[in-house]
Amino acid sequence: MPDSITITDNRTGSSVEIPIVDGGVSADPWRKLLPGIWFSDPGFTTTALGTSAITYLDGEEGILRYRGYPIEQLAKSSTYLEVSYLLIHGELPTQEQYDQWLHDITYHTFIHENVRKRFLEGFHYDAHPMGMLVSAMGALSTFYLEAKGVDDPTVRAKQITRLIAKMPTLAAACHRFSVGMPFVYPDNSMSFVENFLSMMWKVAEPHYAADPVLTHALDVLFILHADHEQNCGTLALRTVGSAHADPYSACAAACAALYGPRHGGANEAVIKMLTEIGTIDAVPDFIKAVKEGHGRLQGFGHRVYKNYDPRATIIKNIADDVFEVTGKNPLLDIALKLEEVALSDDYFISRKLYPNVDFYSGLIYQAMGFPIEMFTVLFAIPRTTGWLSHYEELMVQDQKIYRPRQLWTGADERSYVPIDARS
Ligand code: ACO
């Protein structure tokens, strides 16, 4: 049987056979056979925007791999910075490459004083740190004017190092401002995650000593969040990047998408939901209300996963280690009950709704002391690696500018009516 599909235009009888390549069919023959007839796919549920070799995801089987390596192996044996090298460069680093990468990231963690003093401190006192982060990422493009040279791989590599390195500094700066604490400068003697925790929590002690269990847990969480194929934020990045905007502007667009509660903002929404539910006894009524269409079960469901999100499985295990240090998050029992009730309810079973990465991550962040406004910021720090991997892939592929079509359902041509003649 040929590995192809045939499309027939029933108006004319003409048809075209399109080969199936890499699991998809090209739109080019369709366009030639049916000029002016557009393929309608709101939400891009059936559209592949091109080829990619970064992250492999099989939502039916619950498989996630970065550059071919299963997420479970990377979470167990790697570090976030090694994974970021892998995602950006396509291969795991040699020792020499890794040492150089660590050095480069460590020596690009400082932000320009004007970013902090003039830009970030200009926000209103109760600004949401995620809103500040979105703006700060975009603002960085005004500090590195050479970033506009997107055709030069050396220039791109420099911005990639800068952005990955500066994200924890920006994130911590947003938090410190929002709670009225003085900014803490990066410390080159610390690891990536220790440095971030120091910038978050240091008060008057000369050297902030991060708990090793919590440092490791956050490093694993960073690995799990580093990339996720063609998600909403990555599409935003690719769209802006396809216009050849600089990587800071493209990442700011992705970060803005991540802010939404249907995307990276869901971890914040989960904690609010669990707090509102309040007790285990209230879980059945909450599930009943969701089934009747009153809101969604936050942290459940995914466009691609129709099985348990493999990241949620790993996070659930990390939660045990974290709670041993911090004490159990009192909301955990409500979350476990919600999961139990939902996974045995036909509404969720028939729609293949399972916990996603956000269902348990917020509980860990909260137990570690992060305010809930920081949860999506914690997501954005490692996801910057994923965004930049896609930016680099896009530039190397030199894809066309993204510009979809529409199906017109508006008014036919009509004549302008002066305001005093309108009814
Ligand atoms: N709670 C209750 N019902 C749900 C949920 C949910 N969390 N998610 C989907 N459904 C239902 C829908 O009501 C719909 O039911 P219907 O067929 O009777 O109309 C069906 O399941 C399909 O839902 P869609 O909205 O069409 O699925 P889509 O793929 O567009 O949405 C999304 C995916 C946005 C993640 C959705 O599941 C959701 O809103 N979940 C809650 C928010 C969340 O956790 N987001 C984080 C995702 S992971 C991430 O971005 C990092």
Side-chain angles (χ1 to χ4, degrees):
M1 209 175 322
D3 219 4
S4 65
I5 61 155
T6 300
I7 296 169
T8 304
D9 183 347
N10 292 328
R11 298 165 306 176
T12 61
S14 50
S15 67
V16 62
E17 185 180 347
I18 314 178
I20 299 172
V21 179
D22 294 330
V25 289
S26 167
D28 287 342
W30 165 292
R31 200 164 43 242
K32 283 180 193 134
L33 176 72
L34 299 161
I37 305 285
W38 309 122
F39 187 72
S40 173
D41 184 19
F44 308 122
T45 57
T46 320
T47 301
L49 54 75
T51 59
S52 183
I54 300 170
T55 291
Y56 176 81
L57 208 172
D58 181 336
E60 293 296 330
E61 298 297 327
I63 293 173
L64 175 63
R65 297 181 199 133
Y66 295 159
R67 301 284 190 182
Y69 296 101
I71 194 68
E72 292 80 5
Q73 289 182 24
L74 294 170
K76 183 162 177 269
S77 309
S78 189
T79 62
Y80 165 63
L81 280 191
E82 187 180 55
V83 165
S84 71
Y85 184 99
L86 170 71
L87 285 165
I88 299 283
H89 295 280
E91 297 296 337
L92 286 167
T94 61
Q95 187 64 52
E96 200 182 328
Q97 289 167 331
Y98 188 51
D99 292 344
Q100 185 65 48
W101 180 243
L102 289 191
H103 176 274
D104 292 347
I105 296 294
T106 306
Y107 281 80
H108 285 87
T109 46
F110 275 63
I111 51 175
H112 194 289
E113 279 295 276
N114 281 354
V115 176
R116 181 178 70 82
K117 279 197 184 145
R118 291 171 185 259
F119 187 74
L120 290 179
E121 291 187 1
F123 279 94
H124 200 246
Y125 74 94
D126 61 352
H128 193 293
M130 192 60 185
M132 293 173 73
L133 187 70
V134 170
S135 320
M137 285 184 94
L140 283 187
S141 78
T142 65
F143 288 83
Y144 304 108
L145 295 179
E146 80 272 19
K148 280 184 169 300
V150 300
D151 294 327
D152 184 338
T154 318
V155 170
R156 294 201 302 268
K158 183 85 179 184
Q159 315 319 313
I160 287 172
T161 306
R162 280 182 172 143
L163 254 171
I164 292 174
K166 291 182 200 315
M167 280 303 282
T169 318
L170 283 179
C174 293
H175 166 69
R176 303 287 289 204
F177 175 78
S178 69
V179 292
M181 293 282 285
F183 178 71
V184 176
Y185 286 92
D187 181 338
N188 286 359
S189 69
M190 293 183 175
S191 74
F192 188 84
V193 173
E194 281 172 331
N195 189 27
F196 171 57
L197 293 174
S198 161
M199 291 187 287
M200 281 291 299
W201 309 129
K202 190 170 187 284
V203 186
E205 63 275 45
H207 181 88
Y208 177 83
D211 182 284
V213 173
L214 303 188
T215 305
H216 175 69
L218 197 55
D219 199 50
V220 175
L221 283 161
F222 281 180
I223 292 174
L224 300 181
H225 287 89
D227 192 43
H228 209 233
E229 207 223 45
Q230 311 302 331
N231 57 86
C232 180
T234 302
L235 175 65
L237 168 118
R238 282 184 170 258
T239 305
V240 175
S242 78
H244 281 195
D246 67 80
Y248 302 103
S249 304
C251 280
C255 201
L258 193 72
Y259 197 1
R262 284 185 172 186
H263 192 14
N267 50 19
E268 193 176 327
V270 168
I271 296 297
K272 286 185 177 148
M273 171 188 78
L274 294 175
T275 309
E276 271 166 35
I277 294 173
T279 63
I280 293 183
D281 294 345
V283 166
D285 280 349
F286 180 80
I287 293 281
K288 185 165 169 275
V290 167
K291 286 162 57 179
E292 285 167 1
H294 306 297
R296 288 196 166 190
L297 180 47
Q298 298 299 332
F300 253 70
H302 198 276
R303 170 60 59 78
V304 183
Y305 289 121
K306 300 304 167 198
N307 200 323
Y308 216 97
D309 182 336
R311 300 168 299 175
T313 312
I314 300 169
I315 289 179
K316 227 174 144 179
N317 293 333
I318 302 173
D320 296 335
D321 302 339
V322 169
F323 296 154
E324 259 185 43
V325 176
T326 61
K328 196 174 82 175
N329 187 324
L331 298 176
L332 176 69
D333 290 336
I334 301 174
L336 288 169
K337 185 69 183 172
L338 264 183
E339 181 183 336
E340 183 196 313
V341 173
L343 293 185
S344 57
D345 189 300
D346 190 53
Y347 175 95
F348 296 91
I349 295 170
S350 62
R351 289 169 179 78
K352 299 187 176 174
L353 301 171
Y354 292 87
N356 59 49
V357 68
D358 284 325
F359 193 64
Y360 287 105
S361 63
L363 290 171
I364 298 180
Y365 296 146
Q366 195 179 44
M368 288 169 103
F370 290 101
I372 62 171
E373 292 76 21
M374 281 296 286
F375 291 3
T376 314
V377 173
L378 290 164
F379 194 153
I381 295 172
R383 183 51 63 84
T384 301
T385 283
W387 293 331
L388 292 166
S389 311
H390 287 270
Y391 187 88
E392 185 61 18
E393 184 174 72
L394 184 77
M395 291 300 143
V396 171
Q397 289 174 340
D398 195 20
Q399 277 193 8
K400 280 177 179 300
I401 187 168
Y402 287 9
R403 205 310 184 181
R405 302 286 184 158
Q406 64 176 13
L407 304 186
W408 175 250
T409 56
D412 279 342
E413 183 180 349
R414 45 190 175 159
S415 296
Y416 179 78
V417 181
I419 196 163
D420 53 5
R422 291 174 211 159
S423 55

